[in-house]
Amino acid sequence: MNNTYYGKLIFELSKEGRRGYSLPANPWAAHHTPIPAHLQRTTPAALPEADEQTVARHYTNMSNNNFGVDTGFYPLGSCTMKYNPKINEEVAALPGFTQPHPAAGDANLQGALRLYYETGRILSELTGLAEFTINPYAGAHGELTGLMVIRAYHRSRGDVQRTKIIVPDSAHGTNPASAAVAGLKIVQVKSTPEGTVDLDSLRSVLGPDIAGMMMTNPNTLGIFETHIPEIARMVHECGGLMYYDGANFNPILGVCRPGDMGFDVMHINLHKTFSTPHGGGGPGSGPVGVRSGLEQFLPNPRVLRRDDGTFTMAECPEALGRISSWLGNFGIIVRAYAYLLTLGREHVGQVGRLAVLGANYIKECLKDCYKLPIDGLCKHEFVFDGLRPEYGGEHSDPAHVTTLDVAKRLLDFGFHAPTIYFPLLFHESLMIEPTETESKETLDTFIATLRQIAEEAKADPAMVKAAPHHTPIRRPDDVLAVKAGKFVYQPEA
Ligand SMILES: *Cc1c(COP(=O)(O)O)cnc(C)c1O
């Protein structure tokens, strides 16, 4: 598409003197006190000048360049880009939730406090953990909070030598990052060829300096760690706690519970599993749950239920402090609550099952074209390692079609690309997570498109390597954009 407006900044559409409106002369001008001369501009502000229609087309065209779950299939692995039901938005916009001030006092906040409390109770039921805080703002923030709980627990027992945390090599990058921010040293354990934690590697690092272990299950390869009871036993025997990265709780929602697997502390991403729109760093929520005996360390403020059934926002003395202002991103909690009540106990268990079915369906339909390094049942997502050699996926040949090329070519067909080059265990990772909200027709079209791209890679690799052909911007220089980004409009001289 190419027209007057497309791909232009509003400054580039500006015409000197062009106006959207003309106003009548101000009959009261004579009565105004003029702005003192020393405060007045000497040169006019560099503002764009445009008529209303140009402004309307400019912003409408820009909004059409957005891609989101509401425009198309978004199989971004590890991100759970599921459809976000619109009723959640309506409920979150109710004035009773948007207008109260958090300092209004318990008596004026009973509805909001009850919603927070009940969301925590539902999360406890779904995870098998005793209590939740919903104050953290994101998954990584939840990780930090959970690790601070683990540190507070060891410190409360005078066990100050536990300064190391075990993180498998398949972990999400936020795990080692949060651990470092929490002041813990990272000890890596290897994965087996089957993609699960290597028990011998784990045994070799256990000791009195281990604060705990962070795990994702199913892990970032989409594989369920079947040795989890054994792993939890080993870590507990050495005095550490088990941390569950539940950002991707989707595949096991309503099917099994981290608390039953032996985890002591976990976080959940409301903005993945519990259907809050996310992307672009928008508001999130990373609730943290703990097993019984660790509640007192959860951050302030906490929402407690009094014996008379009313709710109070409480400050607890043993808490690790505050990690957010008040009760976190409250609107996100409202969305999650609406989502949970919409599904109800009787339907919540379908989420994980359908997410797993969709992922396995895509994997099985495409594994003759794309390299599947770890075969077998996956959970909500899986990882291809680029194209199979018959389709030109040969790492040593510079003319071969890479995962980046496949991802770029998908854009031509109106799909969002899967996650690429993560996890780091393979050279050409292409990580696909369809979520439970996509129809079979959508999955079939996606499968047919990826098959077509594999055929194209064989027949005309140069064409695939030049993709995308139909997007407004084709292959930006990602490194240059990061290192020398232009964030301010500079008019051409
Ligand atoms: C998304 C994700 C996170 C981080 O969540 P943010 O809200 O982006 O901070 C952590 N771990 C895993 C496994 C994830 O998929």
Side-chain angles (χ1 to χ4, degrees):
M1 197 196 336
N2 210 343
N3 62 40
T4 318
Y5 308 95
Y6 205 71
K8 294 218 176 97
L9 300 176
I10 187 76
F11 287 96
E12 293 164 341
L13 296 170
S14 174
K15 276 270 170 263
E16 201 179 330
R18 181 97 15 114
R19 290 285 176 274
Y21 293 96
S22 59
L23 298 174
N26 179 359
W28 310 106
H31 302 285
H32 283 179
T33 311
I35 295 170
H38 73 282
L39 294 177
Q40 285 184 29
R41 289 185 156 276
T42 50
T43 51
L47 296 175
E49 299 180 66
D51 55 285
E52 182 176 323
Q53 176 174 273
T54 298
V55 173
R57 286 189 180 157
H58 171 69
Y59 285 106
T60 306
N61 279 309
M62 260 210 307
S63 73
N64 285 342
N65 283 342
N66 272 339
F67 190 95
V69 174
D70 285 355
T71 47
F73 186 43
Y74 207 131
L76 193 66
S78 200
C79 294
T80 312
M81 304 304 286
K82 64 169 75 177
Y83 177 68
N84 312 121
K86 297 297 166 249
I87 188 161
N88 302 352
E89 298 302 317
E90 287 194 28
V91 173
L94 292 174
F97 292 127
T98 56
Q99 306 213 331
H101 192 283
D106 289 348
N108 296 308
L109 296 172
Q110 283 301 302
L113 295 182
R114 178 176 160 196
L115 182 140
Y116 182 104
Y117 180 86
E118 289 186 359
T119 305
R121 293 318 310 150
I122 299 172
L123 295 180
S124 284
E125 183 178 328
L126 291 171
T127 57
L129 289 167
E131 189 168 327
F132 269 83
T133 175
I134 322 181
N135 297 5
Y137 291 125
H141 196 206
E143 290 171 28
L144 175 64
T145 306
L147 293 169
M148 287 166 74
V149 167
I150 291 177
R151 297 213 76 178
Y153 159 77
H154 291 307
R155 219 174 273 135
S156 74
R157 298 159 58 247
D159 193 354
V160 293
Q161 58 179 342
R162 296 189 182 269
T163 54
K164 294 186 179 165
I165 188 104
I166 302 167
V167 181
D169 59 2
S170 63
H172 194 270
T174 50
N175 289 190
S178 308
V181 175
L184 292 161
K185 285 198 202 68
I186 291 114
V187 182
Q188 214 182 62
V189 291
K190 287 203 246 359
S191 297
T192 62
E194 292 75 46
T196 54
V197 168
D198 184 331
L199 294 190
D200 290 331
S201 175
L202 175 60
R203 203 167 288 117
S204 71
V205 300
L206 290 173
D209 53 354
I210 294 297
M213 174 167 187
M214 298 183 87
M215 279 192 69
T216 309
N217 191 28
N219 62 28
T220 53
L221 298 172
I223 294 171
F224 195 85
E225 301 271 357
T226 45
H227 291 298
I228 197 67
E230 172 79 356
I231 293 171
R233 194 185 51 74
M234 288 162 67
V235 172
H236 285 148
E237 271 176 16
C238 104
L241 295 185
M242 288 291 288
Y243 183 91
Y244 182 80
D245 178 342
N248 299 319
F249 192 52
N250 213 42
I252 62 168
L253 178 60
V255 180
C256 62
R257 311 193 308 170
D260 302 334
M261 297 177 203
F263 287 98
D264 306 288
V265 183
M266 73 175 288
H267 83 270
I268 278 182
N269 279 22
L270 294 187
H271 50 286
K272 287 178 182 169
T273 308
F274 298 100
S275 94
T276 280
H278 64 294
S285 178
V288 171
V290 293
R291 73 159 160 76
S292 144
L294 296 172
E295 304 93 327
Q296 65 274 27
F297 303 119
L298 288 174
N300 283 327
R302 283 167 65 196
V303 175
L304 304 176
R305 189 168 179 274
R306 297 196 192 90
D307 289 340
D308 66 0
T310 60
F311 299 90
T312 178
M313 196 158 26
E315 302 282 328
C316 302
E318 284 181 77
L320 52 80
R322 277 185 183 240
I323 44 84
S324 62
S325 70
W326 306 98
L327 300 175
N329 279 330
F330 194 77
I332 306 301
I333 308 173
V334 180
R335 287 172 177 83
Y337 184 74
Y339 177 69
L340 284 163
L341 292 195
T342 309
L343 287 178
R345 247 192 212 99
E346 64 273 41
H347 299 302
V348 83
Q350 285 296 91
V351 171
R353 290 180 169 91
L354 287 173
V356 170
L357 180 63
N360 279 287
Y361 180 61
I362 298 178
K363 167 173 70 66
E364 291 304 312
C365 289
L366 286 171
K367 69 180 188 185
D368 59 325
C369 309
Y370 293 84
K371 219 180 286 173
L372 182 63
I374 298 174
D375 207 347
L377 194 71
C378 66
K379 292 295 173 226
H380 60 308
E381 63 193 1
F382 63 92
V383 183
F384 283 135
D385 187 12
L387 283 158
R388 290 177 61 93
E390 316 81 284
Y391 291 91
E394 209 46 76
H395 297 164
S396 52
D397 176 2
H400 86 280
V401 170
T402 63
T403 279
L404 177 68
D405 302 326
V406 172
K408 292 286 185 191
R409 182 69 179 135
L410 265 174
L411 306 182
D412 281 335
F413 297 92
F415 291 108
H416 196 283
T419 294
I420 58 172
Y421 300 106
F422 176 82
L424 307 176
L425 297 175
F426 313 113
H427 287 290
E428 293 287 333
S429 288
L430 183 76
M431 185 190 205
I432 296 173
E433 178 184 8
T435 84
E436 74 283 4
T437 60
E438 298 300 332
S439 67
K440 179 160 180 298
E441 293 73 36
T442 301
L443 301 187
D444 283 337
T445 312
F446 180 68
I447 290 163
T449 306
L450 272 177
R451 295 196 75 88
Q452 181 184 328
I453 295 172
E455 293 297 342
E456 290 172 351
K458 189 155 65 170
D460 190 0
M463 185 279 287
V464 180
K465 292 193 82 64
H469 300 279
H470 308 303
T471 54
I473 293 173
R474 296 179 59 190
R475 292 219 183 190
D477 183 333
D478 301 337
V479 176
L480 192 68
V482 171
K483 301 229 162 177
K486 286 189 197 161
F487 302 110
V488 176
Y489 175 64
Q490 299 287 355
E492 276 174 34

